[in-house]
Amino acid sequence: MEQRVLGKSGVSASVLGLGTWPMGGEWWGGADDAESIRTIHRAIELGITLIDTAEGYGRGHSEEVVGKALVGRRAEVVISDKVAPNHLEPAQIRAAFAASCQRLRTDYIDVYYIHWPNIDVPIGPAMTELEHMRAEGKIRAIGVSNFTPAEMDEARRYGTIDVLQPPYNMFWRFIERSEVPYCLANDIGIMTYSSLAQGLLTGTLSRDTKFAEGDNRPTTVLFQPEHYGRCLDAVDKLRPIAAKYGRTLAQLAINWVVGRPGVSCSSASCRRRTSSSRT
């Protein structure tokens, strides 16, 4: 699988990453840990080296699952992890990092993100602390997730941002207005999430889909009545394009993202193995 460098960090990762939010067991309607571990192993076998997680995914459970899956295989992957926005005081960052490392069974994290901006906490001390951790070898690259260009400008006064992680897919393209040009101008890599639009671009959902208990997707924007039908109609128009190239809709959607200007990697979440091995 193609490898790309994340910004100026020197960290290289597979162009397709495995997102593990659903493996946390919350928000997406539950998960089977054994199946999640098998999924991680299968992803590595297929050439995926990027595993994306966060302390906020299932209150750390996703990290625990990733840690179990990577026993004896840590050197094969690049782990990207995220500190929660309520843990941005320097001492809190240190504590959150230590707890994440314990769950992940590692002593370093390749790419460490601020998960969301927090308007109540100054960004300067947080970025300064992350730079100290980089100098100590605890992290290899610094990232921010869901930050605007103005928020990145402020953060960059105190340290180097290597990677931005925004949502990006065929339906959510707002980052093309400002975030993508900003990252291109400042040599910041882009590692996208929600590349499959929370499952809409897999082609497996329909107007009759019944979501499992605990699956909160129906509460989100694209699943509201005024958008859901339009998205499904758009997916139907994509089917013949995918068929023309002998690919699934998910493969088409991911290839679209990783082919966009500025994108280094695309993270797609799942919790089960599939029968297809094509990428």
Side-chain angles (χ1 to χ4, degrees):
M1 184 176 293
E2 181 185 354
Q3 305 282 309
R4 294 181 183 173
V5 178
L6 302 174
K8 296 183 290 187
S9 68
V11 177
S12 180
S14 56
V15 69
L16 174 60
L18 177 64
T20 64
W21 184 12
M23 296 179 187
E26 293 183 345
W27 205 89
W28 294 87
D32 180 289
D33 288 354
E35 181 62 19
S36 295
I37 290 170
R38 287 192 289 268
T39 299
I40 294 170
H41 289 167
R42 182 59 176 154
I44 295 171
E45 290 168 5
L46 294 173
I48 289 176
T49 63
L50 174 63
I51 309 294
D52 183 69
T53 188
E55 64 166 329
Y57 294 169
R59 291 173 289 182
H61 188 67
S62 169
E63 292 174 324
E64 291 178 352
V65 171
V66 172
K68 290 177 183 177
L70 296 182
V71 171
R73 309 189 71 166
R74 173 65 180 93
E76 299 178 46
V77 302
V78 168
I79 295 177
S80 69
D81 201 355
K82 308 174 197 73
V83 60
N86 59 327
H87 291 158
L88 295 188
E89 298 287 354
Q92 294 174 330
I93 291 175
R94 290 277 178 171
F97 175 84
S100 290
C101 283
Q102 183 175 17
R103 290 187 289 266
L104 289 165
R105 308 187 187 196
T106 186
D107 58 1
Y108 72 98
I109 292 172
D110 298 281
V111 186
Y112 201 44
Y113 288 93
I114 296 174
H115 204 158
W116 290 88
N118 184 339
I119 62 173
D120 296 320
V121 179
I123 195 65
M127 287 296 295
T128 299
E129 191 66 20
L130 290 175
E131 286 291 4
H132 290 329
M133 293 168 67
R134 189 209 300 265
E136 295 165 11
K138 295 182 181 297
I139 61 178
R140 298 174 62 201
I142 296 171
V144 294
S145 184
N146 306 298
F147 272 49
T148 66
E151 289 163 339
M152 285 188 279
D153 258 344
E154 176 64 15
R156 290 175 62 236
R157 292 176 56 199
Y158 307 96
T160 298
I161 295 175
D162 299 297
V163 197
L164 170 70
Q165 188 176 55
Y168 191 35
N169 55 60
M170 288 180 172
F171 297 150
W172 284 339
R173 299 180 59 176
F174 61 88
I175 69 166
E176 294 174 356
R177 300 189 202 115
S178 301
E179 285 81 356
V180 170
Y182 182 92
C183 289
L184 286 170
N186 292 284
D187 294 321
I188 296 172
I190 299 174
M191 182 194 299
T192 68
Y193 73 86
S194 199
S195 306
L196 296 174
Q198 298 175 321
L200 277 166
L201 287 165
T202 63
T204 61
L205 302 180
S206 72
R207 287 171 173 81
D208 299 322
T209 295
K210 304 297 182 184
F211 294 91
E213 183 179 354
D215 189 331
N216 291 301
R217 282 178 291 176
T219 67
T220 62
V221 172
L222 292 180
F223 288 77
Q224 298 309 299
E226 64 269 30
H227 303 305
Y228 189 55
R230 293 173 58 226
C231 288
L232 292 176
D233 290 342
V235 167
D236 284 339
K237 292 179 180 179
L238 292 171
R239 293 183 192 277
I241 300 174
K244 176 181 177 181
Y245 294 99
R247 293 290 184 256
T248 66
L249 278 168
Q251 289 166 338
L252 178 72
I254 290 170
N255 276 309
W256 182 89
V257 172
V258 300
R260 303 299 295 173
V263 173
S264 304
C265 305
S266 170
S267 173
S269 296
C270 68
R271 53 191 159 182
R272 301 183 187 92
R273 294 168 298 170
T274 64
S275 58
S276 175
S277 63
R278 294 178 299 182
T279 57

